[in-house]
PDB file of all heavy atoms in Angstrom:
ATOM      1  N   THR A   1    -187.185  18.379  34.517  1.00 77.00           N
ATOM      2  CA  THR A   1    -186.933  18.731  35.912  1.00 77.00           C
ATOM      3  C   THR A   1    -187.712  20.001  36.270  1.00 77.00           C
ATOM      4  O   THR A   1    -188.298  20.648  35.398  1.00 77.00           O
ATOM      5  CB  THR A   1    -185.437  18.952  36.160  1.00 77.00           C
ATOM      6  OG1 THR A   1    -184.982  20.054  35.350  1.00 77.00           O
ATOM      7  CG2 THR A   1    -184.637  17.705  35.809  1.00 77.00           C
ATOM      8  N   TYR A   2    -187.690  20.352  37.555  1.00 75.00           N
ATOM      9  CA  TYR A   2    -188.437  21.520  38.019  1.00 75.00           C
ATOM     10  C   TYR A   2    -187.509  22.502  38.716  1.00 75.00           C
ATOM     11  O   TYR A   2    -186.614  22.103  39.462  1.00 75.00           O
ATOM     12  CB  TYR A   2    -189.539  21.104  39.001  1.00 75.00           C
ATOM     13  CG  TYR A   2    -190.710  20.404  38.354  1.00 75.00           C
ATOM     14  CD1 TYR A   2    -190.634  19.055  38.022  1.00 75.00           C
ATOM     15  CD2 TYR A   2    -191.895  21.090  38.070  1.00 75.00           C
ATOM     16  CE1 TYR A   2    -191.713  18.401  37.433  1.00 75.00           C
ATOM     17  CE2 TYR A   2    -192.978  20.441  37.487  1.00 75.00           C
ATOM     18  CZ  TYR A   2    -192.882  19.093  37.178  1.00 75.00           C
ATOM     19  OH  TYR A   2    -193.949  18.458  36.588  1.00 75.00           O
ATOM     20  N   ASN A   3    -187.737  23.788  38.452  1.00 76.00           N
ATOM     21  CA  ASN A   3    -187.068  24.843  39.208  1.00 76.00           C
ATOM     22  C   ASN A   3    -187.976  25.268  40.349  1.00 76.00           C
ATOM     23  O   ASN A   3    -189.183  25.483  40.148  1.00 76.00           O
ATOM     24  CB  ASN A   3    -186.807  26.064  38.316  1.00 76.00           C
ATOM     25  CG  ASN A   3    -185.606  25.863  37.422  1.00 76.00           C
ATOM     26  OD1 ASN A   3    -184.744  25.041  37.707  1.00 76.00           O
ATOM     27  ND2 ASN A   3    -185.562  26.616  36.334  1.00 76.00           N
ATOM     28  N   ARG A   4    -187.408  25.399  41.547  1.00 79.00           N
ATOM     29  CA  ARG A   4    -188.183  25.838  42.698  1.00 79.00           C
ATOM     30  C   ARG A   4    -187.795  27.255  43.087  1.00 79.00           C
ATOM     31  O   ARG A   4    -186.612  27.578  43.190  1.00 79.00           O
ATOM     32  CB  ARG A   4    -187.942  24.912  43.898  1.00 79.00           C
ATOM     33  CG  ARG A   4    -188.724  25.332  45.141  1.00 79.00           C
ATOM     34  CD  ARG A   4    -188.233  24.646  46.383  1.00 79.00           C
ATOM     35  NE  ARG A   4    -188.997  25.053  47.558  1.00 79.00           N
ATOM     36  CZ  ARG A   4    -188.610  24.841  48.802  1.00 79.00           C
ATOM     37  NH1 ARG A   4    -187.467  24.224  49.051  1.00 79.00           N
ATOM     38  NH2 ARG A   4    -189.368  25.240  49.806  1.00 79.00           N
ATOM     39  N   THR A   5    -188.786  28.090  43.300  1.00 78.00           N
ATOM     40  CA  THR A   5    -188.565  29.432  43.818  1.00 78.00           C
ATOM     41  C   THR A   5    -189.579  29.702  44.931  1.00 78.00           C
ATOM     42  O   THR A   5    -190.642  29.080  44.986  1.00 78.00           O
ATOM     43  CB  THR A   5    -188.717  30.516  42.724  1.00 78.00           C
ATOM     44  OG1 THR A   5    -190.007  30.389  42.111  1.00 78.00           O
ATOM     45  CG2 THR A   5    -187.646  30.382  41.673  1.00 78.00           C
ATOM     46  N   ILE A   6    -189.225  30.628  45.808  1.00 79.00           N
ATOM     47  CA  ILE A   6    -190.097  30.996  46.921  1.00 79.00           C
ATOM     48  C   ILE A   6    -190.341  32.499  46.875  1.00 79.00           C
ATOM     49  O   ILE A   6    -189.405  33.289  46.715  1.00 79.00           O
ATOM     50  CB  ILE A   6    -189.470  30.613  48.273  1.00 79.00           C
ATOM     51  CG1 ILE A   6    -189.228  29.098  48.346  1.00 79.00           C
ATOM     52  CG2 ILE A   6    -190.372  31.060  49.420  1.00 79.00           C
ATOM     53  CD1 ILE A   6    -188.503  28.662  49.603  1.00 79.00           C
ATOM     54  N   GLU A   7    -191.594  32.876  46.990  1.00 81.00           N
ATOM     55  CA  GLU A   7    -191.962  34.283  47.042  1.00 81.00           C
ATOM     56  C   GLU A   7    -192.714  34.554  48.338  1.00 81.00           C
ATOM     57  O   GLU A   7    -193.450  33.693  48.832  1.00 81.00           O
ATOM     58  CB  GLU A   7    -192.852  34.673  45.853  1.00 81.00           C
ATOM     59  CG  GLU A   7    -192.159  34.581  44.509  1.00 81.00           C
ATOM     60  CD  GLU A   7    -193.030  35.114  43.383  1.00 81.00           C
ATOM     61  OE1 GLU A   7    -194.202  35.431  43.614  1.00 81.00           O
ATOM     62  OE2 GLU A   7    -192.516  35.196  42.255  1.00 81.00           O
ATOM     63  N   GLU A   8    -192.538  35.764  48.873  1.00 88.00           N
ATOM     64  CA  GLU A   8    -193.257  36.188  50.071  1.00 88.00           C
ATOM     65  C   GLU A   8    -194.200  37.327  49.700  1.00 88.00           C
ATOM     66  O   GLU A   8    -193.792  38.291  49.064  1.00 88.00           O
ATOM     67  CB  GLU A   8    -192.282  36.653  51.149  1.00 88.00           C
ATOM     68  CG  GLU A   8    -191.323  35.578  51.622  1.00 88.00           C
ATOM     69  CD  GLU A   8    -190.336  36.089  52.653  1.00 88.00           C
ATOM     70  OE1 GLU A   8    -190.588  37.181  53.214  1.00 88.00           O
ATOM     71  OE2 GLU A   8    -189.327  35.409  52.895  1.00 88.00           O
ATOM     72  N   HIS A   9    -195.455  37.197  50.085  1.00 88.00           N
ATOM     73  CA  HIS A   9    -196.463  38.208  49.784  1.00 88.00           C
ATOM     74  C   HIS A   9    -197.093  38.701  51.084  1.00 88.00           C
ATOM     75  O   HIS A   9    -197.337  37.902  52.003  1.00 88.00           O
ATOM     76  CB  HIS A   9    -197.559  37.626  48.888  1.00 88.00           C
ATOM     77  CG  HIS A   9    -197.086  37.219  47.528  1.00 88.00           C
ATOM     78  ND1 HIS A   9    -197.528  37.838  46.379  1.00 88.00           N
ATOM     79  CD2 HIS A   9    -196.224  36.248  47.130  1.00 88.00           C
ATOM     80  CE1 HIS A   9    -196.946  37.259  45.329  1.00 88.00           C
ATOM     81  NE2 HIS A   9    -196.157  36.298  45.764  1.00 88.00           N
ATOM     82  N   TYR A  10    -197.374  40.004  51.128  1.00 96.00           N
ATOM     83  CA  TYR A  10    -197.995  40.598  52.309  1.00 96.00           C
ATOM     84  C   TYR A  10    -199.165  41.472  51.874  1.00 96.00           C
ATOM     85  O   TYR A  10    -199.022  42.324  50.992  1.00 96.00           O
ATOM     86  CB  TYR A  10    -196.984  41.455  53.080  1.00 96.00           C
ATOM     87  CG  TYR A  10    -195.788  40.678  53.582  1.00 96.00           C
ATOM     88  CD1 TYR A  10    -194.653  40.529  52.785  1.00 96.00           C
ATOM     89  CD2 TYR A  10    -195.804  40.077  54.839  1.00 96.00           C
ATOM     90  CE1 TYR A  10    -193.557  39.807  53.229  1.00 96.00           C
ATOM     91  CE2 TYR A  10    -194.707  39.359  55.299  1.00 96.00           C
ATOM     92  CZ  TYR A  10    -193.598  39.220  54.489  1.00 96.00           C
ATOM     93  OH  TYR A  10    -192.508  38.498  54.922  1.00 96.00           O
ATOM     94  N   GLU A  11    -200.314  41.254  52.493  1.00 97.00           N
ATOM     95  CA  GLU A  11    -201.486  42.087  52.255  1.00 97.00           C
ATOM     96  C   GLU A  11    -202.025  42.566  53.600  1.00 97.00           C
ATOM     97  O   GLU A  11    -201.947  41.849  54.596  1.00 97.00           O
ATOM     98  CB  GLU A  11    -202.583  41.326  51.505  1.00 97.00           C
ATOM     99  CG  GLU A  11    -202.202  40.921  50.091  1.00 97.00           C
ATOM    100  CD  GLU A  11    -203.392  40.418  49.292  1.00 97.00           C
ATOM    101  OE1 GLU A  11    -204.524  40.887  49.531  1.00 97.00           O
ATOM    102  OE2 GLU A  11    -203.196  39.541  48.432  1.00 97.00           O
ATOM    103  N   ARG A  12    -202.583  43.748  53.599  1.00 98.00           N
ATOM    104  CA  ARG A  12    -203.133  44.309  54.836  1.00 98.00           C
ATOM    105  C   ARG A  12    -204.643  44.415  54.745  1.00 98.00           C
ATOM    106  O   ARG A  12    -205.192  44.740  53.683  1.00 98.00           O
ATOM    107  CB  ARG A  12    -202.538  45.693  55.099  1.00 98.00           C
ATOM    108  CG  ARG A  12    -203.147  46.382  56.316  1.00 98.00           C
ATOM    109  CD  ARG A  12    -202.485  47.707  56.597  1.00 98.00           C
ATOM    110  NE  ARG A  12    -203.299  48.516  57.508  1.00 98.00           N
ATOM    111  CZ  ARG A  12    -203.011  49.770  57.847  1.00 98.00           C
ATOM    112  NH1 ARG A  12    -201.915  50.345  57.372  1.00 98.00           N
ATOM    113  NH2 ARG A  12    -203.803  50.440  58.654  1.00 98.00           N
ATOM    114  N   ALA A  13    -205.301  44.124  55.838  1.00 98.00           N
ATOM    115  CA  ALA A  13    -206.743  44.299  55.939  1.00 98.00           C
ATOM    116  C   ALA A  13    -207.043  45.729  56.385  1.00 98.00           C
ATOM    117  O   ALA A  13    -206.471  46.211  57.365  1.00 98.00           O
ATOM    118  CB  ALA A  13    -207.340  43.311  56.930  1.00 98.00           C
ATOM    119  N   TYR A  14    -207.922  46.403  55.642  1.00 98.00           N
ATOM    120  CA  TYR A  14    -208.349  47.755  55.989  1.00 98.00           C
ATOM    121  C   TYR A  14    -209.839  47.756  56.297  1.00 98.00           C
ATOM    122  O   TYR A  14    -210.625  47.096  55.609  1.00 98.00           O
ATOM    123  CB  TYR A  14    -208.092  48.732  54.836  1.00 98.00           C
ATOM    124  CG  TYR A  14    -206.635  49.060  54.596  1.00 98.00           C
ATOM    125  CD1 TYR A  14    -205.889  48.318  53.681  1.00 98.00           C
ATOM    126  CD2 TYR A  14    -206.021  50.101  55.273  1.00 98.00           C
ATOM    127  CE1 TYR A  14    -204.545  48.620  53.452  1.00 98.00           C
ATOM    128  CE2 TYR A  14    -204.685  50.417  55.049  1.00 98.00           C
ATOM    129  CZ  TYR A  14    -203.954  49.671  54.138  1.00 98.00           C
ATOM    130  OH  TYR A  14    -202.633  49.970  53.919  1.00 98.00           O
ATOM    131  N   SER A  15    -210.233  48.521  57.302  1.00 98.00           N
ATOM    132  CA  SER A  15    -211.658  48.711  57.553  1.00 98.00           C
ATOM    133  C   SER A  15    -212.195  49.731  56.554  1.00 98.00           C
ATOM    134  O   SER A  15    -211.438  50.546  56.005  1.00 98.00           O
ATOM    135  CB  SER A  15    -211.894  49.208  58.976  1.00 98.00           C
ATOM    136  OG  SER A  15    -211.437  50.547  59.111  1.00 98.00           O
ATOM    137  N   LEU A  16    -213.494  49.697  56.339  1.00 98.00           N
ATOM    138  CA  LEU A  16    -214.099  50.663  55.431  1.00 98.00           C
ATOM    139  C   LEU A  16    -213.939  52.082  55.961  1.00 98.00           C
ATOM    140  O   LEU A  16    -213.741  53.027  55.178  1.00 98.00           O
ATOM    141  CB  LEU A  16    -215.573  50.320  55.207  1.00 98.00           C
ATOM    142  CG  LEU A  16    -216.308  51.134  54.139  1.00 98.00           C
ATOM    143  CD1 LEU A  16    -215.575  51.107  52.806  1.00 98.00           C
ATOM    144  CD2 LEU A  16    -217.736  50.622  53.985  1.00 98.00           C
ATOM    145  N   ASP A  17    -213.987  52.253  57.267  1.00 98.00           N
ATOM    146  CA  ASP A  17    -213.786  53.586  57.836  1.00 98.00           C
ATOM    147  C   ASP A  17    -212.383  54.112  57.542  1.00 98.00           C
ATOM    148  O   ASP A  17    -212.201  55.311  57.276  1.00 98.00           O
ATOM    149  CB  ASP A  17    -214.018  53.553  59.347  1.00 98.00           C
ATOM    150  CG  ASP A  17    -215.498  53.501  59.728  1.00 98.00           C
ATOM    151  OD1 ASP A  17    -216.329  53.832  58.861  1.00 98.00           O
ATOM    152  OD2 ASP A  17    -215.803  53.122  60.863  1.00 98.00           O
ATOM    153  N   GLU A  18    -211.384  53.229  57.594  1.00 98.00           N
ATOM    154  CA  GLU A  18    -210.025  53.650  57.252  1.00 98.00           C
ATOM    155  C   GLU A  18    -209.949  54.105  55.797  1.00 98.00           C
ATOM    156  O   GLU A  18    -209.334  55.127  55.476  1.00 98.00           O
ATOM    157  CB  GLU A  18    -209.044  52.503  57.500  1.00 98.00           C
ATOM    158  CG  GLU A  18    -208.769  52.217  58.965  1.00 98.00           C
ATOM    159  CD  GLU A  18    -207.872  51.015  59.167  1.00 98.00           C
ATOM    160  OE1 GLU A  18    -208.123  49.955  58.550  1.00 98.00           O
ATOM    161  OE2 GLU A  18    -206.911  51.124  59.955  1.00 98.00           O
ATOM    162  N   ILE A  19    -210.581  53.347  54.928  1.00 98.00           N
ATOM    163  CA  ILE A  19    -210.571  53.688  53.502  1.00 98.00           C
ATOM    164  C   ILE A  19    -211.283  55.015  53.261  1.00 98.00           C
ATOM    165  O   ILE A  19    -210.805  55.869  52.495  1.00 98.00           O
ATOM    166  CB  ILE A  19    -211.230  52.559  52.686  1.00 98.00           C
ATOM    167  CG1 ILE A  19    -210.375  51.282  52.752  1.00 98.00           C
ATOM    168  CG2 ILE A  19    -211.432  52.998  51.242  1.00 98.00           C
ATOM    169  CD1 ILE A  19    -208.979  51.422  52.200  1.00 98.00           C
ATOM    170  N   LYS A  20    -212.407  55.217  53.927  1.00 98.00           N
ATOM    171  CA  LYS A  20    -213.126  56.488  53.786  1.00 98.00           C
ATOM    172  C   LYS A  20    -212.246  57.655  54.231  1.00 98.00           C
ATOM    173  O   LYS A  20    -212.285  58.736  53.638  1.00 98.00           O
ATOM    174  CB  LYS A  20    -214.410  56.462  54.609  1.00 98.00           C
ATOM    175  CG  LYS A  20    -215.501  55.566  54.041  1.00 98.00           C
ATOM    176  CD  LYS A  20    -216.734  55.584  54.954  1.00 98.00           C
ATOM    177  CE  LYS A  20    -217.847  54.724  54.409  1.00 98.00           C
ATOM    178  NZ  LYS A  20    -219.039  54.707  55.317  1.00 98.00           N
ATOM    179  N   GLY A  21    -211.446  57.424  55.274  1.00 98.00           N
ATOM    180  CA  GLY A  21    -210.548  58.472  55.750  1.00 98.00           C
ATOM    181  C   GLY A  21    -209.504  58.844  54.710  1.00 98.00           C
ATOM    182  O   GLY A  21    -209.229  60.029  54.489  1.00 98.00           O
ATOM    183  N   PHE A  22    -208.916  57.840  54.054  1.00 98.00           N
ATOM    184  CA  PHE A  22    -207.941  58.112  53.001  1.00 98.00           C
ATOM    185  C   PHE A  22    -208.582  58.888  51.845  1.00 98.00           C
ATOM    186  O   PHE A  22    -207.988  59.812  51.296  1.00 98.00           O
ATOM    187  CB  PHE A  22    -207.356  56.802  52.459  1.00 98.00           C
ATOM    188  CG  PHE A  22    -206.539  56.029  53.454  1.00 98.00           C
ATOM    189  CD1 PHE A  22    -206.797  54.677  53.685  1.00 98.00           C
ATOM    190  CD2 PHE A  22    -205.503  56.628  54.155  1.00 98.00           C
ATOM    191  CE1 PHE A  22    -206.045  53.946  54.596  1.00 98.00           C
ATOM    192  CE2 PHE A  22    -204.738  55.909  55.069  1.00 98.00           C
ATOM    193  CZ  PHE A  22    -205.022  54.563  55.292  1.00 98.00           C
ATOM    194  N   ILE A  23    -209.785  58.480  51.474  1.00 98.00           N
ATOM    195  CA  ILE A  23    -210.493  59.136  50.371  1.00 98.00           C
ATOM    196  C   ILE A  23    -210.743  60.600  50.692  1.00 98.00           C
ATOM    197  O   ILE A  23    -210.463  61.498  49.892  1.00 98.00           O
ATOM    198  CB  ILE A  23    -211.821  58.405  50.072  1.00 98.00           C
ATOM    199  CG1 ILE A  23    -211.546  57.012  49.489  1.00 98.00           C
ATOM    200  CG2 ILE A  23    -212.687  59.218  49.110  1.00 98.00           C
ATOM    201  CD1 ILE A  23    -212.779  56.139  49.354  1.00 98.00           C
ATOM    202  N   GLU A  24    -211.289  60.852  51.885  1.00 98.00           N
ATOM    203  CA  GLU A  24    -211.609  62.226  52.282  1.00 98.00           C
ATOM    204  C   GLU A  24    -210.357  63.091  52.339  1.00 98.00           C
ATOM    205  O   GLU A  24    -210.350  64.235  51.857  1.00 98.00           O
ATOM    206  CB  GLU A  24    -212.306  62.223  53.637  1.00 98.00           C
ATOM    207  CG  GLU A  24    -212.688  63.611  54.129  1.00 98.00           C
ATOM    208  CD  GLU A  24    -213.402  63.583  55.475  1.00 98.00           C
ATOM    209  OE1 GLU A  24    -213.629  62.477  56.007  1.00 98.00           O
ATOM    210  OE2 GLU A  24    -213.699  64.674  55.995  1.00 98.00           O
ATOM    211  N   LYS A  25    -209.287  62.556  52.908  1.00 98.00           N
ATOM    212  CA  LYS A  25    -208.053  63.338  53.043  1.00 98.00           C
ATOM    213  C   LYS A  25    -207.440  63.656  51.682  1.00 98.00           C
ATOM    214  O   LYS A  25    -206.773  64.680  51.517  1.00 98.00           O
ATOM    215  CB  LYS A  25    -207.053  62.572  53.904  1.00 98.00           C
ATOM    216  CG  LYS A  25    -205.838  63.397  54.327  1.00 98.00           C
ATOM    217  CD  LYS A  25    -204.969  62.644  55.321  1.00 98.00           C
ATOM    218  CE  LYS A  25    -203.757  63.465  55.734  1.00 98.00           C
ATOM    219  NZ  LYS A  25    -202.894  62.733  56.695  1.00 98.00           N
ATOM    220  N   SER A  26    -207.656  62.799  50.700  1.00 97.00           N
ATOM    221  CA  SER A  26    -207.105  63.031  49.359  1.00 97.00           C
ATOM    222  C   SER A  26    -207.843  64.131  48.608  1.00 97.00           C
ATOM    223  O   SER A  26    -207.341  64.649  47.607  1.00 97.00           O
ATOM    224  CB  SER A  26    -207.170  61.746  48.530  1.00 97.00           C
ATOM    225  OG  SER A  26    -208.503  61.472  48.111  1.00 97.00           O
ATOM    226  N   GLY A  27    -209.038  64.470  49.077  1.00 97.00           N
ATOM    227  CA  GLY A  27    -209.843  65.469  48.387  1.00 97.00           C
ATOM    228  C   GLY A  27    -210.927  64.861  47.527  1.00 97.00           C
ATOM    229  O   GLY A  27    -211.725  65.593  46.928  1.00 97.00           O
ATOM    230  N   MET A  28    -210.978  63.537  47.474  1.00 98.00           N
ATOM    231  CA  MET A  28    -212.046  62.879  46.731  1.00 98.00           C
ATOM    232  C   MET A  28    -213.266  62.692  47.615  1.00 98.00           C
ATOM    233  O   MET A  28    -213.231  62.911  48.823  1.00 98.00           O
ATOM    234  CB  MET A  28    -211.569  61.528  46.183  1.00 98.00           C
ATOM    235  CG  MET A  28    -210.619  61.633  45.017  1.00 98.00           C
ATOM    236  SD  MET A  28    -210.260  60.027  44.236  1.00 98.00           S
ATOM    237  CE  MET A  28    -209.205  59.274  45.478  1.00 98.00           C
ATOM    238  N   LYS A  29    -214.353  62.249  47.003  1.00 98.00           N
ATOM    239  CA  LYS A  29    -215.606  61.997  47.704  1.00 98.00           C
ATOM    240  C   LYS A  29    -215.909  60.503  47.683  1.00 98.00           C
ATOM    241  O   LYS A  29    -215.890  59.880  46.624  1.00 98.00           O
ATOM    242  CB  LYS A  29    -216.746  62.768  47.033  1.00 98.00           C
ATOM    243  CG  LYS A  29    -218.126  62.495  47.625  1.00 98.00           C
ATOM    244  CD  LYS A  29    -219.198  63.208  46.818  1.00 98.00           C
ATOM    245  CE  LYS A  29    -220.584  62.877  47.345  1.00 98.00           C
ATOM    246  NZ  LYS A  29    -221.655  63.496  46.501  1.00 98.00           N
ATOM    247  N   PHE A  30    -216.177  59.945  48.856  1.00 98.00           N
ATOM    248  CA  PHE A  30    -216.618  58.550  48.917  1.00 98.00           C
ATOM    249  C   PHE A  30    -218.025  58.465  48.359  1.00 98.00           C
ATOM    250  O   PHE A  30    -218.922  59.180  48.781  1.00 98.00           O
ATOM    251  CB  PHE A  30    -216.590  58.057  50.362  1.00 98.00           C
ATOM    252  CG  PHE A  30    -217.259  56.719  50.556  1.00 98.00           C
ATOM    253  CD1 PHE A  30    -216.593  55.547  50.228  1.00 98.00           C
ATOM    254  CD2 PHE A  30    -218.550  56.636  51.063  1.00 98.00           C
ATOM    255  CE1 PHE A  30    -217.205  54.308  50.405  1.00 98.00           C
ATOM    256  CE2 PHE A  30    -219.172  55.411  51.252  1.00 98.00           C
ATOM    257  CZ  PHE A  30    -218.498  54.247  50.910  1.00 98.00           C
ATOM    258  N   GLU A  31    -218.201  57.557  47.388  1.00 98.00           N
ATOM    259  CA  GLU A  31    -219.518  57.401  46.772  1.00 98.00           C
ATOM    260  C   GLU A  31    -220.253  56.163  47.278  1.00 98.00           C
ATOM    261  O   GLU A  31    -221.435  56.222  47.593  1.00 98.00           O
ATOM    262  CB  GLU A  31    -219.389  57.324  45.244  1.00 98.00           C
ATOM    263  CG  GLU A  31    -218.988  58.624  44.578  1.00 98.00           C
ATOM    264  CD  GLU A  31    -220.154  59.605  44.459  1.00 98.00           C
ATOM    265  OE1 GLU A  31    -221.214  59.356  45.042  1.00 98.00           O
ATOM    266  OE2 GLU A  31    -219.978  60.641  43.781  1.00 98.00           O
ATOM    267  N   ALA A  32    -219.573  55.020  47.330  1.00 98.00           N
ATOM    268  CA  ALA A  32    -220.267  53.787  47.701  1.00 98.00           C
ATOM    269  C   ALA A  32    -219.260  52.680  47.968  1.00 98.00           C
ATOM    270  O   ALA A  32    -218.105  52.740  47.538  1.00 98.00           O
ATOM    271  CB  ALA A  32    -221.221  53.359  46.592  1.00 98.00           C
ATOM    272  N   ALA A  33    -219.734  51.655  48.670  1.00 98.00           N
ATOM    273  CA  ALA A  33    -218.985  50.415  48.856  1.00 98.00           C
ATOM    274  C   ALA A  33    -219.986  49.270  48.721  1.00 98.00           C
ATOM    275  O   ALA A  33    -221.098  49.345  49.263  1.00 98.00           O
ATOM    276  CB  ALA A  33    -218.305  50.376  50.213  1.00 98.00           C
ATOM    277  N   TYR A  34    -219.585  48.235  47.997  1.00 98.00           N
ATOM    278  CA  TYR A  34    -220.498  47.134  47.699  1.00 98.00           C
ATOM    279  C   TYR A  34    -219.866  45.779  47.996  1.00 98.00           C
ATOM    280  O   TYR A  34    -218.646  45.607  47.861  1.00 98.00           O
ATOM    281  CB  TYR A  34    -220.883  47.145  46.209  1.00 98.00           C
ATOM    282  CG  TYR A  34    -221.523  48.417  45.727  1.00 98.00           C
ATOM    283  CD1 TYR A  34    -220.869  49.224  44.790  1.00 98.00           C
ATOM    284  CD2 TYR A  34    -222.775  48.811  46.189  1.00 98.00           C
ATOM    285  CE1 TYR A  34    -221.449  50.390  44.322  1.00 98.00           C
ATOM    286  CE2 TYR A  34    -223.368  49.983  45.727  1.00 98.00           C
ATOM    287  CZ  TYR A  34    -222.705  50.767  44.799  1.00 98.00           C
ATOM    288  OH  TYR A  34    -223.280  51.934  44.334  1.00 98.00           O
ATOM    289  N   ASP A  35    -220.715  44.853  48.371  1.00 98.00           N
ATOM    290  CA  ASP A  35    -220.321  43.450  48.366  1.00 98.00           C
ATOM    291  C   ASP A  35    -220.002  43.103  46.913  1.00 98.00           C
ATOM    292  O   ASP A  35    -220.787  43.412  46.006  1.00 98.00           O
ATOM    293  CB  ASP A  35    -221.467  42.595  48.901  1.00 98.00           C
ATOM    294  CG  ASP A  35    -221.088  41.142  49.058  1.00 98.00           C
ATOM    295  OD1 ASP A  35    -220.027  40.859  49.620  1.00 98.00           O
ATOM    296  OD2 ASP A  35    -221.864  40.278  48.594  1.00 98.00           O
ATOM    297  N   ALA A  36    -218.871  42.482  46.660  1.00 97.00           N
ATOM    298  CA  ALA A  36    -218.345  42.313  45.304  1.00 97.00           C
ATOM    299  C   ALA A  36    -219.371  41.733  44.338  1.00 97.00           C
ATOM    300  O   ALA A  36    -220.088  40.774  44.661  1.00 97.00           O
ATOM    301  CB  ALA A  36    -217.105  41.433  45.322  1.00 97.00           C
ATOM    302  N   PHE A  37    -219.424  42.361  43.150  1.00 97.00           N
ATOM    303  CA  PHE A  37    -220.241  41.929  42.012  1.00 97.00           C
ATOM    304  C   PHE A  37    -221.736  42.065  42.261  1.00 97.00           C
ATOM    305  O   PHE A  37    -222.553  41.444  41.580  1.00 97.00           O
ATOM    306  CB  PHE A  37    -219.883  40.501  41.586  1.00 97.00           C
ATOM    307  CG  PHE A  37    -218.403  40.313  41.396  1.00 97.00           C
ATOM    308  CD1 PHE A  37    -217.673  39.501  42.248  1.00 97.00           C
ATOM    309  CD2 PHE A  37    -217.730  40.991  40.398  1.00 97.00           C
ATOM    310  CE1 PHE A  37    -216.307  39.349  42.100  1.00 97.00           C
ATOM    311  CE2 PHE A  37    -216.352  40.862  40.235  1.00 97.00           C
ATOM    312  CZ  PHE A  37    -215.644  40.036  41.090  1.00 97.00           C
ATOM    313  N   THR A  38    -222.084  42.885  43.239  1.00 98.00           N
ATOM    314  CA  THR A  38    -223.477  43.217  43.510  1.00 98.00           C
ATOM    315  C   THR A  38    -223.538  44.715  43.760  1.00 98.00           C
ATOM    316  O   THR A  38    -222.515  45.396  43.791  1.00 98.00           O
ATOM    317  CB  THR A  38    -224.024  42.489  44.754  1.00 98.00           C
ATOM    318  OG1 THR A  38    -223.504  43.120  45.941  1.00 98.00           O
ATOM    319  CG2 THR A  38    -223.629  41.011  44.757  1.00 98.00           C
ATOM    320  N   PHE A  39    -224.761  45.201  43.965  1.00 98.00           N
ATOM    321  CA  PHE A  39    -224.922  46.565  44.445  1.00 98.00           C
ATOM    322  C   PHE A  39    -225.562  46.549  45.829  1.00 98.00           C
ATOM    323  O   PHE A  39    -226.277  47.465  46.217  1.00 98.00           O
ATOM    324  CB  PHE A  39    -225.724  47.393  43.437  1.00 98.00           C
ATOM    325  CG  PHE A  39    -224.937  47.709  42.196  1.00 98.00           C
ATOM    326  CD1 PHE A  39    -225.197  47.047  41.002  1.00 98.00           C
ATOM    327  CD2 PHE A  39    -223.898  48.623  42.226  1.00 98.00           C
ATOM    328  CE1 PHE A  39    -224.452  47.308  39.872  1.00 98.00           C
ATOM    329  CE2 PHE A  39    -223.140  48.895  41.101  1.00 98.00           C
ATOM    330  CZ  PHE A  39    -223.412  48.231  39.909  1.00 98.00           C
ATOM    331  N   GLU A  40    -225.258  45.470  46.555  1.00 98.00           N
ATOM    332  CA  GLU A  40    -225.711  45.326  47.926  1.00 98.00           C
ATOM    333  C   GLU A  40    -224.667  45.909  48.885  1.00 98.00           C
ATOM    334  O   GLU A  40    -223.479  45.940  48.569  1.00 98.00           O
ATOM    335  CB  GLU A  40    -225.934  43.849  48.260  1.00 98.00           C
ATOM    336  CG  GLU A  40    -226.998  43.175  47.400  1.00 98.00           C
ATOM    337  CD  GLU A  40    -228.363  43.789  47.593  1.00 98.00           C
ATOM    338  OE1 GLU A  40    -228.704  44.137  48.748  1.00 98.00           O
ATOM    339  OE2 GLU A  40    -229.090  43.949  46.591  1.00 98.00           O
ATOM    340  N   PRO A  41    -225.101  46.368  50.054  1.00 98.00           N
ATOM    341  CA  PRO A  41    -224.146  46.919  51.018  1.00 98.00           C
ATOM    342  C   PRO A  41    -223.124  45.863  51.456  1.00 98.00           C
ATOM    343  O   PRO A  41    -223.363  44.661  51.360  1.00 98.00           O
ATOM    344  CB  PRO A  41    -225.035  47.331  52.201  1.00 98.00           C
ATOM    345  CG  PRO A  41    -226.412  47.440  51.638  1.00 98.00           C
ATOM    346  CD  PRO A  41    -226.497  46.444  50.529  1.00 98.00           C
TER     347      PRO A  41
END
């Protein structure tokens, strides 16, 4: 037999500018952002 369960997941979309803002405010330095698994913008 099978057990059924239900899970709810939530993810938020962030712009790169928003992420840069968090980085700067934390005291870190933004170095780069890449299209995944490449070194392309």
Side-chain angles (χ1 to χ4, degrees):
T1 62
Y2 287 80
N3 281 338
R4 180 194 180 195
T5 55
I6 300 175
E7 295 186 353
E8 298 178 16
H9 295 245
Y10 299 89
E11 295 191 31
R12 176 177 164 185
Y14 289 92
S15 70
L16 188 53
D17 284 342
E18 287 176 312
I19 293 299
K20 288 179 179 178
F22 295 128
I23 292 171
E24 180 179 358
K25 191 173 180 181
S26 74
M28 287 188 287
K29 176 185 177 184
F30 170 79
E31 290 282 9
Y34 302 114
D35 186 48
F37 310 112
T38 76
F39 288 105
E40 299 297 321

